[in-house]
Amino acid sequence: MTDLLNRVQLNTPEHKLVKEGIISDYLNHIMKDNADNSEGQTAQYISALRDADPEPFATALCTLDGRIYSAALGGTFNDAGVAADQVEFTIQSISKPFVYALALQEHGIDELVKVVGMEPSGEAFNELSLEGDTNRPVNPMINAGAITVNQLINGSESTVEDRVAKIHSFMNQLAGRELTLDKKTAESEMESSDRNLALAHMLRSYHIIQDQAEDAVNSYVQQCSILVTVRDLAVMGATLASGGVQPLTGRRVMDQSVARQVQSVMASAGMYNAAGRWMASVGIPAKSGVAGGVLGTLPGQLGLSSFSPKLDEHGNSVRGVRVFQRLSNDMGLHLMAPDPRGRASVRSLTEDSHTDETIVRLQGDIDFIGGERLYRTLSEHELKHKKLVFDMTRVDGVNPVGCRMLNNGIEQLREEGYEVRIEDPEGWLKLKDAYLAGDGV
Ligand code: GLN
């Protein structure tokens, strides 16, 4: 597994050639453009957040091979002399996708859908709403769903302490470091938790959760009070984007199917009643928190994050939303506007009359579209020789579908009497065995 990962990592762009400054400078630049925006206010209903410094402004990116770029606006320092990209803030609702991941990992999707749905609610994060016929919360990103999911961790008999400890330890694995739980913020939120308590009572009355309402909210509020920096969030986002492999430690912390499920729900419900507009204008699965953090994941590419505490009427960071819009536009990150891929998987097809061989040179990433292009090229071309060479020296990556298509195609050609030779120094075709073993690199 690690060997395969290393190989995949070797094929990512050579980041050492990129001057780190260029990317961090760019992040700084887009923050400067939004620095004058003083709209919104800190979360008023939690005293610890209401009184927080509203000024820190930071952004971070993390690639799937663990390179982190971060920028703090003009090197802003808080009273303690800490730059904004090192400032810790409570994760709040950004914990929801990760605790959902942990619950999926512990119980599987079939158990989860019994108690929480996956439809966007179109409602505020703390709305008192349940699905009409099943009484389930509609998704795990709104508070009703998140309280329900929290209760699944460590089984229904768990104490609050053990449940929180399990969540905390999972968050540590995701961030790749020991995170702190901010008891003060948790306590201050408990003082104004009428709404979440109402939700918990409602969930209990429908037997969706079993614990006492007070305990359920206490456990959920603690999960929200884990301290992170923008850099942590970017790494945690990259873990989802990579399909579950933590980019700094190289450890698989969740199954690929779990990462897929979590990001799908983030895409449709992560930004609450602004989710539709967010998807259209930014096009990145995301989750916001009322302490001012925003987390984004670009599947297969990046984790992104921002921090700025003043919120809009949906509870999303005002400057964070702007920064994501800029990043998405400037860097072409919108999921629905990808560059065409795999078009040029066949670099050349040459008939060599000296060696009596047909040489097919492949390149780039071979996925379904790449495989289709190869099949089409072979079927449209009248092969002159019975000897075929597939040269894969310039292939950068092969996904499970591309791998299967290549192997099946080669097998078929051999059955048809072709003598097929493969030049595959990176061993891409051998990934078939790993893919079959469900290793899902
Ligand atoms: N702890 C917060 C709450 O339940 C989290 C809300 C949020 O970040 N949107 O109200």
Side-chain angles (χ1 to χ4, degrees):
M1 178 76 209
T2 324
D3 193 9
L4 290 176
L5 278 174
N6 286 340
R7 198 162 344 149
V8 170
Q9 286 175 3
L10 279 179
N11 281 280
T12 55
E14 181 54 78
H15 62 241
K16 285 194 195 90
L17 295 179
V18 181
K19 248 184 101 213
E20 181 182 4
I22 295 174
I23 294 176
S24 295
D25 285 354
Y26 163 72
L27 293 177
N28 238 298
H29 174 72
I30 53 171
M31 285 196 300
K32 269 191 198 128
D33 285 353
N34 289 287
D36 292 340
N37 189 332
S38 57
E39 287 164 37
Q41 51 182 3
T42 53
Q44 299 293 297
Y45 70 101
I46 301 174
S47 62
L49 300 183
R50 183 184 57 222
D51 302 336
D53 177 2
E55 281 317 313
F57 189 13
T59 316
L61 300 181
C62 180
T63 62
L64 300 199
D65 60 344
R67 177 67 158 186
I68 308 172
Y69 299 92
S70 67
L73 181 67
T76 345
F77 293 92
N78 68 5
D79 294 346
V82 179
D85 58 344
Q86 313 284 344
V87 167
E88 293 192 323
F89 52 93
T90 50
I91 189 166
Q92 297 299 338
S93 282
I94 305 170
S95 62
K96 293 170 180 173
F98 297 109
V99 179
Y100 185 46
L102 182 57
L104 284 164
Q105 204 63 48
E106 275 189 18
H107 303 280
I109 184 75
D110 294 345
E111 284 306 306
L112 267 273
V113 293
K114 288 181 189 161
V115 291
V116 64
M118 53 180 108
E119 297 302 332
S121 70
E123 290 175 335
F125 67 88
N126 54 4
E127 196 58 44
L128 292 154
S129 75
L130 297 178
E131 210 170 60
D133 46 349
T134 63
N135 300 320
R136 298 178 309 176
V138 286
N139 70 59
M141 301 296 142
I142 54 171
N143 288 12
I147 293 170
T148 303
V149 171
N150 171 285
Q151 289 297 292
L152 295 175
I153 306 301
N154 207 36
S156 57
E157 301 298 312
S158 176
T159 60
V160 172
E161 209 182 8
D162 290 349
R163 184 168 286 141
V164 172
K166 197 140 192 197
I167 292 170
H168 193 164
S169 135
F170 186 57
M171 296 289 189
N172 291 344
Q173 281 183 47
L174 286 158
R177 74 179 184 100
E178 195 74 36
L179 302 171
T180 310
L181 198 155
D182 179 3
K183 292 270 179 199
K184 277 214 176 87
T185 301
E187 280 160 20
S188 99
E189 183 167 355
M190 279 313 280
E191 283 163 19
S192 54
S193 267
D194 289 338
R195 192 143 189 128
N196 283 332
L197 284 166
L199 283 171
H201 280 294
M202 188 169 71
L203 292 164
R204 245 175 79 82
S205 77
Y206 287 117
H207 309 291
I208 299 282
I209 66 170
Q210 278 75 42
D211 234 352
Q212 294 302 319
E214 184 85 18
D215 286 345
V217 174
N218 183 7
S219 175
Y220 160 72
V221 159
Q222 291 197 60
Q223 115 184 13
C224 291
S225 299
I226 291 172
L227 291 169
V228 289
T229 66
V230 270
R231 293 172 68 89
D232 293 322
L233 285 184
V235 170
M236 294 165 85
T239 306
L240 287 173
S242 76
V245 177
Q246 210 278 6
L248 304 180
T249 61
R251 280 187 58 195
R252 176 168 288 288
V253 294
M254 69 184 83
D255 294 343
Q256 200 160 24
S257 58
V258 167
R260 185 180 86 171
Q261 173 68 17
V262 170
Q263 290 176 96
S264 305
V265 175
M266 280 168 68
S268 63
M271 300 301 272
Y272 314 118
N273 40 348
R277 263 163 292 164
W278 175 270
M279 202 55 200
S281 67
V282 181
I284 295 173
K287 187 74 211 74
S288 62
V290 287
V294 184
L295 164 93
T297 73
L298 205 63
Q301 296 188 55
L302 282 175
L304 310 104
S305 63
S306 67
F307 171 51
S308 174
K310 287 192 176 175
L311 310 177
D312 62 19
E313 68 276 22
H314 307 292
N316 299 329
S317 163
V318 173
R319 295 196 292 198
V321 169
R322 298 280 165 87
V323 159
F324 268 78
Q325 271 162 350
R326 269 295 289 278
L327 279 172
S328 169
N329 277 334
D330 292 2
M331 293 163 66
L333 301 181
H334 198 299
L335 270 189
M336 303 306 166
D339 290 326
R341 322 178 29 202
R343 282 182 306 186
S345 61
V346 182
R347 184 178 170 82
S348 62
L349 189 153
T350 28
E351 302 286 3
D352 188 333
S353 48
H354 297 296
T355 56
D356 281 344
E357 287 175 332
T358 303
I359 303 163
V360 183
R361 291 194 174 85
L362 300 173
Q363 66 180 7
D365 290 308
I366 313 291
D367 53 9
F368 172 77
I369 299 298
E372 184 273 342
R373 184 54 67 112
L374 170 63
Y375 275 123
R376 184 143 45 106
T377 309
L378 289 175
S379 66
E380 284 172 356
H381 188 92
E382 213 169 298
L383 300 174
K384 291 213 172 59
H385 305 287
K386 274 286 165 195
K387 283 195 217 160
L388 257 171
V389 182
F390 283 103
D391 181 356
M392 304 198 34
T393 325
R394 299 181 72 136
V395 167
D396 297 321
V398 174
N399 80 352
V401 180
C403 191
R404 217 162 48 225
M405 288 173 89
L406 282 173
N407 278 297
N408 290 351
I410 290 164
E411 208 172 293
Q412 203 178 319
L413 286 162
R414 284 185 173 139
E415 275 166 19
E416 287 171 17
Y418 288 94
E419 193 182 306
V420 184
R421 185 161 63 80
I422 303 152
E423 280 172 25
D424 182 17
E426 300 284 342
W428 292 117
L429 289 181
K430 292 202 198 98
L431 283 176
K432 180 179 79 166
D433 304 326
Y435 288 141
L436 284 178
D439 225 349
V441 183

